[in-house]
Amino acid sequence: MKIKVLTFGFLISIMMSSCIVYHTQTTDIPLISEKNDLRVDAGISIIPSAHATISYGLTDKIAIQGFGSIGSDDRYYFQGAIGIYKKYDNQKVMELYSGFGYGYGSAYIDANPGDLYGDYQLYFGQLNYGRIASETSNVEIGFGIKTGYLHSNLTDRNYYDWISENGPYKTYHDKSLLFEPVGFIKIGGDKLKFSIKLGGTMIFKFTNTDHRLPYGYVNLGFGINYRL
């Protein structure tokens, strides 16, 4: 039953890829474990996009991270974060990041027809936890939970309501709560691994709640992860 639900969610995400402004970001969960620990991750996702992440252990306690994705229909998203981390004796690592993201998206609807397009800003915190590779196993596994305040500025060109061929069009300045869990597994050698990430997104609007924000509920990413 769970497999059927996930499969249905993937199919809906792919079918609606031209109808969404935002989608789940398959950001790397690096599990930085020491100073100068550098992780580079790059890949693609089923909601058509390419992504890359760079994470670095700046000190014995502080890590920094940069991420970007570029997708179809002119969608893009970039974020930067700084956080703290702690490694435990059993190869478990916990990270806590705070960051800012900026993106652009557009959605198209055939009914009117019309477009909804514009930019958004995300102020977020993210908790990561998982197990890194050891002498007996190169498998890494874990999860991350991102929560944040999403502020969007989207122009409604006959998307929600028909206005006219030439406008003027209304711009919605919305405030929302974003919740985005992501799980991952990395398999491979000591340095180079193949990564799979599965994530979901829930967005709860505080303003203009009668107009649903078009976004992708689930995303699956594949990539290559390299540790220097």
Side-chain angles (χ1 to χ4, degrees):
M1 182 65 182
K2 291 182 179 180
I3 294 176
K4 291 182 179 179
V5 171
L6 287 173
T7 302
F8 179 74
F10 294 153
L11 292 175
I12 292 296
S13 296
I14 295 172
M15 291 169 61
M16 295 184 64
S17 61
S18 63
C19 304
I20 57 176
V21 170
Y22 179 87
H23 63 78
T24 306
Q25 304 297 332
T26 50
T27 310
D28 182 36
I29 298 172
L31 301 180
I32 297 296
S33 60
E34 60 186 0
K35 183 179 179 180
N36 297 324
D37 190 1
L38 176 63
R39 297 271 187 152
V40 180
D41 184 273
I44 58 174
S45 65
I46 62 167
I47 295 182
S49 65
H51 59 263
T53 312
I54 298 178
S55 310
Y56 181 68
L58 197 62
T59 72
D60 291 330
K61 296 181 178 180
I62 298 175
I64 55 176
Q65 184 181 73
F67 168 80
S69 71
I70 300 176
S72 58
D73 302 310
D74 299 322
R75 284 196 303 269
Y76 63 80
Y77 174 78
F78 301 98
Q79 75 174 39
I82 184 170
I84 56 176
Y85 67 90
K86 180 176 177 60
K87 179 185 176 184
Y88 299 92
D89 293 337
N90 55 2
Q91 296 299 102
K92 302 291 179 61
V93 176
M94 179 178 290
E95 301 174 305
L96 181 61
Y97 289 94
S98 177
F100 171 77
Y102 178 84
Y104 174 89
S106 64
Y108 179 79
I109 190 170
D110 292 323
N112 289 337
D115 295 294
L116 183 70
Y117 58 91
D119 61 9
Y120 54 87
Q121 303 85 45
L122 177 63
Y123 304 86
F124 68 89
Q126 180 164 339
L127 174 67
N128 298 333
Y129 182 77
R131 186 189 68 220
I132 60 175
S134 65
E135 293 182 357
T136 58
S137 174
N138 280 328
V139 176
E140 299 188 342
I141 190 168
F143 67 91
I145 300 176
K146 177 192 289 183
T147 58
Y149 167 75
L150 181 69
H151 180 265
S152 56
N153 308 286
L154 303 177
T155 299
D156 175 16
R157 190 172 65 183
N158 302 320
Y159 182 88
Y160 293 126
D161 302 295
W162 172 262
I163 298 175
S164 70
E165 289 286 350
N166 301 311
Y169 303 118
K170 183 175 181 179
T171 297
Y172 291 92
H173 304 283
D174 284 335
K175 301 173 179 63
S176 307
L177 173 67
L178 179 141
F179 179 71
E180 194 168 271
V182 177
F184 78 91
I185 185 169
K186 300 172 186 175
I187 304 172
D190 293 337
K191 299 292 184 180
L192 186 65
K193 292 180 173 61
F194 176 71
S195 66
I196 302 175
K197 309 179 195 75
L198 174 63
T201 298
M202 290 181 284
I203 296 177
F204 306 94
K205 293 180 67 175
F206 300 133
T207 56
N208 298 308
T209 55
D210 54 329
H211 292 313
R212 176 189 168 276
L213 179 68
Y215 67 94
Y217 295 101
V218 64
N219 198 7
L220 180 65
F222 304 92
I224 299 296
N225 188 277
Y226 190 71
R227 180 180 183 180
L228 298 178

